[in-house]
Amino acid sequence: MTAMNPQAASEPVVLYEVQDGIATITMNRPRYHNAQNSKMTYALDASFRRAVDDDAVKVIVLAGAGKNFSAGHDIGTPERDAHETFEREHLWYDHVGKPGAEAQLVREQEVYLGMCRRWRDVPKPTIAQVQGACIAGGLMLAWVCDLIVASDDAYFQDPVLQMGIPGVEYFAHAFELHPRIAKEFLFLGERMDAARAQQMGMVNRVTTRAALAAEVRAMAAKLAAQPRLALALAKQSINHIEDLRGKRTAMDAAFGWHHFAHAHNQLVTGNNLAGLDAKAMAAANKAADAKDGSR
């Protein structure tokens, strides 16, 4: 077992800053490419709540420290805390100690699907500032934001079919992308670069990594000058249209199939991720990238 870095454990997993009406929430596990453990997820939730409660905050920016925005859920760092109890934000009971597939279903209803839905419905405009990798669970964090600005070296990927899972818990693929492109994205698990993501309508703007923060800040400043209630109502209107098109019910169905896959994996392989961990997934991705590059 890898020993935990005491310094890393003492650092806040999420940073929070407000300047000129713009709250910047920064995931701060760069050593692990901002992989999301429960501690980070609850810290993100607290930061979104703090920004909503502060009348001085007009716009919220979600960023990731270091090289990458987020490599997804924490499935293998020394600080993985999937078996720990936290003070919950929804009315689901504690997952710890529950038998069979129940524990994972309850936990993911809280920290993944439930949290993402909360953040998507924040009444203030949100911008995802994406650089480098935005993989699997990282997609969920970008997708809940109203706008996505990416660096030209950013890429987006949901490779979890390798684990026998039909996609991440906040299953927005066919709303972020045309259904045929969403199938390609999921079936092949290949990286989608920022330029194509913008072409497909998933990303609003692409800039250089050096200019990324300034581009996001300029956009946020324009949003901050808009009337607060009008922004909230416009956001609610568009979110409502998405839900009328079936976004919420589609996610409910996909979440059920997601957990059927976890339970099937456990029965067949003895592991709900089909025996794969973070290192195995990273190795598989590198092998696939090398194969693509040799064509």
Side-chain angles (χ1 to χ4, degrees):
M1 181 176 178
T2 306
M4 186 182 296
N5 182 333
Q7 182 179 359
S10 66
E11 292 173 352
V13 292
V14 172
L15 306 176
Y16 183 88
E17 178 187 17
V18 177
Q19 186 176 3
D20 300 326
I22 302 165
T24 302
I25 299 170
T26 304
M27 294 176 281
N28 190 40
R29 297 185 78 205
R31 182 183 180 207
Y32 303 117
H33 310 291
N34 296 317
Q36 309 144 29
N37 58 5
S38 293
K39 185 178 180 182
M40 172 183 278
T41 306
Y42 281 99
L44 286 171
D45 190 69
S47 295
F48 275 110
R49 168 58 68 186
R50 183 177 176 184
V52 169
D53 288 344
D54 185 352
D55 281 344
V57 170
K58 308 299 183 186
V59 185
I60 303 168
V61 172
L62 178 62
K67 181 180 178 181
N68 297 302
F69 176 75
S70 177
H73 299 330
D74 185 343
I75 59 172
T77 82
E79 297 155 38
R80 189 174 187 232
D81 51 14
H83 302 296
E84 294 182 23
T85 293
F86 289 82
E87 186 173 346
R88 297 173 304 286
E89 296 298 332
H90 298 91
L91 291 177
W92 278 92
Y93 46 83
D94 190 5
H95 70 285
V96 173
K98 301 304 183 291
E102 184 180 10
Q104 187 161 19
L105 172 70
V106 172
R107 176 177 181 267
E108 294 190 357
Q109 182 73 55
E110 162 82 359
V111 299
Y112 296 151
L113 183 60
M115 292 291 192
C116 284
R117 281 176 165 168
R118 279 164 63 87
W119 304 336
R120 180 246 189 181
D121 291 337
V122 163
K124 298 180 181 182
T126 55
I127 306 172
Q129 179 178 304
V130 179
Q131 83 283 2
C134 183
I135 301 174
L139 292 169
M140 295 165 46
L141 301 183
W143 284 347
V144 300
C145 294
D146 301 308
L147 304 171
I148 300 176
V149 180
S151 63
D152 52 15
D153 65 349
Y155 66 90
F156 304 84
Q157 185 181 25
D158 191 1
V160 300
L161 261 71
Q162 296 176 67
M163 296 177 168
I165 301 169
V168 291
E169 295 84 357
Y170 184 82
F171 196 90
H173 306 68
F175 292 87
E176 296 289 339
L177 298 164
H178 184 282
R180 187 158 286 107
I181 304 301
K183 288 177 182 177
E184 174 192 343
F185 187 65
L186 274 169
F187 292 0
L188 299 179
E190 295 173 345
R191 295 181 177 187
M192 180 180 289
D193 63 31
R196 190 175 187 217
Q198 184 181 30
Q199 183 185 23
M200 295 297 107
M202 191 170 77
V203 166
N204 295 93
R205 297 182 184 178
V206 177
T207 185
T208 64
R209 183 180 282 244
L212 179 61
E215 179 78 14
V216 169
R217 190 151 196 88
M219 178 184 283
K222 288 183 179 180
L223 291 174
Q226 298 280 43
R228 176 177 57 207
L229 181 59
L231 276 172
L233 294 176
K235 174 172 180 171
Q236 187 176 41
S237 298
I238 295 172
N239 284 1
H240 180 61
I241 290 167
E242 282 191 308
D243 289 339
L244 287 174
R245 290 174 176 169
K247 186 173 188 177
R248 186 175 184 88
T249 53
M251 280 191 183
D252 286 339
F255 187 72
W257 294 322
H258 177 100
H259 280 277
F260 172 81
H262 275 315
H264 176 74
N265 285 343
Q266 187 72 46
L267 287 169
V268 173
T269 70
N271 179 278
N272 57 30
L273 299 179
L276 296 178
D277 58 14
K279 288 183 179 179
M281 287 294 290
N285 280 344
K286 286 180 181 179
D289 292 340
K291 184 177 180 181
D292 289 340
S294 65
R295 289 176 183 172

